[in-house]
Structure formats: structure tokens, C-alpha cells
């Protein structure tokens, strides 16, 4: 299996609900370094998994509504904890939909899976990997 | 599949037996940067894989008996080479047992697998990944 | 000149005032990876610049009032932009005072200067270096 | 599953054919940081996956014909785009052949799979993972 | 002294003249990770050294004529070796001129010095630091 | 001022004397990532500070007597604590002598200073910088 992975980052504020979060129940923030890996069984006729430039753009588009925001104020996140894990899935869903809509410039069925990795600090990160089909 | 990974490090001395190890047969040492990833199919009701603070504590507890030690002097390691690979499994076993004993603060059956990564230098590392059930 | 540098990180929320900040005028946040380097002309009788364990503790103490906070709500920051640059100086001042108060476990006059480095993302950081005497 | 991974790098020139590559159709170049991970179900009698020194040598041997070269001038690459993805497979094939030829110093059947990771910049990389048997 | 540093990267081809360069006399290439640090004695009224967004743009503008190029074909580089060291100075000169032309959005005299760091691989880099006045 | 910096690493065992070292009084070890930067006011006729290949060799030569050793057993270190700081100076002295002996392939007087950086873990490092003349 081949994979191509590109990275970007966002800077957000948020707070969590639940005693398990300790001091992170207070409004705080994070720089999230976000990577997306597109997995494919075969390269296309150009010898690539995806157009890396398009991959960067798609990642940036999915992250844009979050960047420089207080996630506590984003309506669709009102009832959830926007944990690092949650965000791996949110970004996955956005990119999976974009791939299926053909926005990646490659036949959607050629992309087997996507892995999203989100690092919140030098010593902690999360990832979500799922198949598309 | 979701994963949350946290990292710590230890500083140990040891030596290896076997010509294959060349100069590493002499007593030398290493800073081991150790990461543990907990893998789960679903997030819990708080939106997390595990309590990241508890994950850090558990990793530190498993590493404590090794840190600032000459591993050649640790009784349970007398008959083995404490290679980077060996240590990935040793840490895996310790954390797998802790998860199964419910120390992670999540239903043990919710954790599907654990991956331990140990970097010994900027250019070499090892990992061990195993399912828990 | 010798130096010893240790690192920690904090996760904070804040917002900035001024058109120059663009989208960062909105409430957002950051993971700040913070390093402090203590500079000295000579090593002490143990062969060290400072006790590295004490250095980690002092850095953590200075960062504690900021960690998991919305800096917009910290009274002493009410009238300032808590930029990355500003924080390098804030941490410098805290550690310089601690050194001068003898908390580092070395004669204050032996520490010639301090450098604070704060990384806000994989591609941007700031530092402040100042002499103590 | 255990893995041991070692890293090296090469510096090459090349150009790509196809509008999808934009400015990369011009002759340009890259530092490729290349890692190879050998995966095995069990450690050998020494407690290792592979001799790490031999692993470094094998990686260097496979990379040598590429290093400090214009890949456009390498006869076997005449009809292909030497993309990062392509190179992950090229290095995989070279190392898979070497393992099967017994050059790794371990029974070839003991190595289950190989993963090659090639980073082209701080924000983009590719990998190829394949089983050997 | 304060500093703010931002980073970008370019991918270029080139060759060197002189036996000292060994295999690097052949046409090869590099990914250069380039950082620019602006140094200032004091922060401006917003609490910053420079507008970080403007700093990124200026760095990108200075690097643009080099990116995805064979530097051997750039007329102004015909008689020189475009070594990593040479490029630190080239980027320095471009950014120093831009600062002096007031393009940074801060009084030119407020910027005391610039440091350019160029990493060519995980194990080698160069830098050039110079005062502006 | 120009600088060129190259990096290597060693793996050693040692112990420290003095209560200040706490658990590090026990025999333990470290992977030390060691960088040497050569500083010069001007580039030579080839456009370089130093031959980077020669710089790597010289660093390796100075580190060789330490690598895969228990520093407690090295006669010349009998009466000292081989702290990270101490080692920065030891490596500096070795490389300064080599430069002055003309081994770097550049006029010794052209090298103004040397900086040695030694990282002992992801969160702690030391450096020593000194002029040669």
C-alpha cells in the first residue's frame, strides 16, 4: 500500500466538559499540527498517489473553519468535546467527503483509506484511520 | 481506528552478548524516547480514547524501574539482551497488563491494541504493536 | 560560554488587539513549546551549569499561572497583547528573578544570561536573550 | 508485530512530466530522508529483528546509485516520473530483493514485510509498505 | 534582544565546481529548509517584533526565484557555487534590502540584525547572521 | 558571521558523583546527539565555510574514543563528572586542536569560533561556544 502525507497547522481555543479533563475544563487552546495521509493500492499514470498541491489545498479548506477560532462558539460543536481525537475524525470526515466528491483529482475509488494525525504538543498526539469503501 | 499516543524518555546503561552487536557488546548506554499508542474502535462518552494524563502516568510507572539503571544489573533481565526491540515488548507487556487491570480508567475491552515505539537515536527506532484480545 | 537548556510546554487561549493581527484578533489559542537556556562562563564544582532537575521545576513554576488559561482573563495581562514575543520576556523576567533570589541552587552571579525560546507552531518561534547583570 | 527502522538521506535532481506537476516540471531537486522498517513476528535468538548496522549498510547500498545524481539521466528511470512515491517502491524492491538473497543476516522468511518512508520536505512525505511473502 | 523566526522551504537542483565537493560536483539537488530571524532591541506598540504574516510573505518572495529551479541556469549565479552557505547570504541580502525598503511594516532602524538558517539535510545546516546598520 | 553545523551521535554509559545528581548517581547512560558549528567571517574561494565531508569525519574522530563506552572507565575522565556540559567542552577542545593543526582543510585563522551542542533527551541539551584566537 502506498501513502502520501501532507501537513498543516491550526491555532484554536476551546474548553472541555467532564472531570476527567482536570484543568483542561478551563478555556485554553492549542496549536494542532494536522497531517493527512491518502492511501492507495497503486500509483496513477503520473506515478503519484495524489497531486500533493491539491492535497495541501484540500487539507487547508477543511481546516479553515476551525483556524483562529474558539471551538466552543462553533454551532456544530456545541454538544461535543472538541478533543484531539474528535478532531481527527472531523478532519477525516471532511476529507473523505471531498475525495468521494472527486475533488482530489483522482478516481475516488482509487483512494483506499485516509489517516489523520493531530499532534497537540511535543509529547502527545492522536490519529484516526478509516477505509473509504 | 482511533489512537492516542504519549511520549516520555529514560536514560539507561546496558551491554549486549553476541558478536552481531560489535562495539555494543561493551557497556554503553542510551536515551530511549518511548511512546505508547492506545488504539480503540470508538471514543468514550467524553470524546476521548483515554485520559491523556492517566496515559502519561501509566507510561511513567512502567518505565520507572528502568530509568537511571544499568539494565545488566536488573535481575529479570539477566538472561536476555535488553535490545531496543526487547524493550518495546517489555513496555507493551507492562501497559497491556495495566489496561487489563482497569488502571487506564476505561473498560479494558475498549482498548483494541497497543503500539510501543522506542527511538534510540535520531536515525534508529523500533516498535511493537499487538492486540489485547 | 556554556549553556544548559530545558523545555516544557503550555496550552493557552488568547486574542490580540490591532488590525496587524488579522484573524488572530479572534479568540484562538496555542501550544507554546517553551525552552529556557541558562548561560554561564564556567561550570560549577560538579561539572554543571545548573541542576537540570531544578531548571525543569523552575520553568514549570513560572509557566504554571499561564497553563490551561485564557490569557485575556489574567489581570496582569489586561492591557497587553500576549504575543509569543511578549511571553518570551515574561518568562525571562520570572526566571531572572528566581535566579537572583538564589532558587537555582547556584550563586546568582554565576549565571550570566538567560535565553527563552517559545515555538508557537512548526514554522514560527520567538526568543528573548538578556544578561542578568 | 515487531519493527526496526533506520534512516539515511540522499540529495538528487530530477524533473517531472505532466501538467499536474506545475513548477516541478522544471529541473529541480530534493533532499530525501529515507527510512526502512523491517517487520517481523518474532525476535531472533539475540533479541533483535535485524542487525541494525547491517540494516544501515543495506539501505546505503540501495540508495548509492541515486545519491548526488540527476535522476533524469539514470537509464532505468528514463520512462518514469521519479516521484517520492515511485522512490518508496524502488527502495522497497531493492531491499526486498536483498532480504530474499539473505543479505540481512537473518532467515529471509523471518522478515514479514518492509515499509519505506521518504520525506521530501518538513511538510510532505510518502511511504510504501508491502509483505515479502 | 528579541527575535522572531519563521520558516519555509525550497527544492532546487545545482552542481558545484571544485574537487573539494567530491560527488556533489555532479548535478544533484536539495530541499532547503530556510528560516529567517529578525532581531530587535524592543517590541513595537502591538507587542511584536514583526508582523509574522508579513515575515512569511517576505521570505517566500525572496525564495520564489530559486524554488523549483536548477540554480546552475540562474544567470546571476553563473560564476559562483550555490552552496548552502552562499544561499544563507543571498537570502540575507534579499531580506535586508526589503527591511531597509520598509516592506516589513516596521521602522527599518528597529530591526537590528537578521539571521538566516538553511538546513540541507537532517544532519547538516548553515547560517549567516549580520547586523543591518 | 557564517556557520556550518554537522551532527552525529554517540551512546555511552556513565555515573555522576554528588547529591545534586539524584538518581543519576547510579550507572546509567545516554544517547548524545552532538553538533559542531564552525564559525567564520568569510567564505573561502569555493563558497564554503568548511568541507562538510571533512567536518563530519573530524567530529566522528573526536567522538570515537567515547562511543559505546562506559565513561567511568576512561582513564582521563576518572576525576570528573562527564556531564553533558563537560562533554560539550571536551568535544570543543578536540575540534579546536584539530582546526589549529590544519586538519579541517582551511587556514586555521579563518575559523573564528566553534560551538558544540549536545542533546541528551528530547527536552534537555547543553552547548559550549568559544573563540579560537
Amino acid at each position: 500500500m502506498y501513502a502520501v502525507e501532507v501537513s498543516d497547522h491550526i491555532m484554536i481555543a476551546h474548553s472541555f466538559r467532564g472531570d476527567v479533563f482536570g484543568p483542561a475544563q478551563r478555556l485554553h487552546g492549542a496549536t494542532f499540527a494536522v497531517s493527512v495521509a491518502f492511501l492507495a493500492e497503486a500509483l496513477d499514470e503520473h506515478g503519484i498517489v495524489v497531486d500533493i498541491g491539491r492535497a495541501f489545498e484540500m487539507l487547508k479548506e477543511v481546516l479553515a473553519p476551525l483556524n483562529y477560532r474558539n471551538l466552543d462558539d462553533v454551532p456544530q460543536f456545541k454538544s461535543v468535546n472538541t478533543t484531539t481525537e474528535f478532531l481527527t475524525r472531523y478532519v477525516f470526515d471532511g476529507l473523505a467527503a471531498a475525495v468521494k466528491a472527486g475533488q482530489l483529482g483522482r478516481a475516488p475509488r482509487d483512494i483506499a483509506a485516509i489517516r489523520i494525525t493531530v499532534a497537540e504538543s511535543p509529547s502527545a498526539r492522536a490519529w484516526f484511520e478509516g477505509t473509504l469503501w
Side-chain angles (χ1 to χ4, degrees), chain A:
Chain A
M1 182 74 81
Y2 290 93
V4 161
E5 187 178 58
V6 299
S7 304
D8 198 353
H9 71 269
I10 55 174
M11 304 181 80
I12 61 90
H14 60 173
S15 64
F16 298 143
R17 279 162 294 192
D19 290 348
V20 68
F21 294 105
Q25 294 174 85
R26 302 194 296 246
L27 185 61
H28 65 288
T31 304
F32 285 123
V34 185
S35 301
V36 54
F38 296 100
L39 286 77
E41 284 292 347
L43 301 183
D44 74 4
E45 71 276 18
H46 300 295
I48 58 177
V49 170
V50 298
D51 172 5
I52 199 175
R54 188 70 198 107
F56 274 117
E57 285 167 20
M58 284 175 61
L59 176 58
K60 199 170 282 294
E61 285 164 21
V62 168
L63 296 177
L66 309 182
N67 202 10
Y68 291 115
R69 291 283 174 196
N70 177 0
L71 301 187
D72 295 355
D73 292 339
V74 176
Q76 70 186 110
F77 296 154
K78 276 294 180 194
S79 61
V80 298
N81 281 320
T82 55
T83 59
T84 309
E85 294 94 315
F86 172 86
L87 291 170
T88 60
R89 182 60 182 267
Y90 172 84
V91 176
F92 173 88
D93 288 344
L95 286 167
V99 168
K100 291 185 175 183
Q103 296 176 20
L104 193 58
R106 189 167 178 190
R109 289 274 168 184
D110 287 353
I111 304 299
I114 290 175
R115 185 193 302 174
I116 305 298
T117 306
V118 180
E120 68 176 68
S121 80
S123 57
R125 60 178 187 156
W127 66 82
F128 177 77
E129 179 171 337
T131 54
L132 293 196
W133 313 100

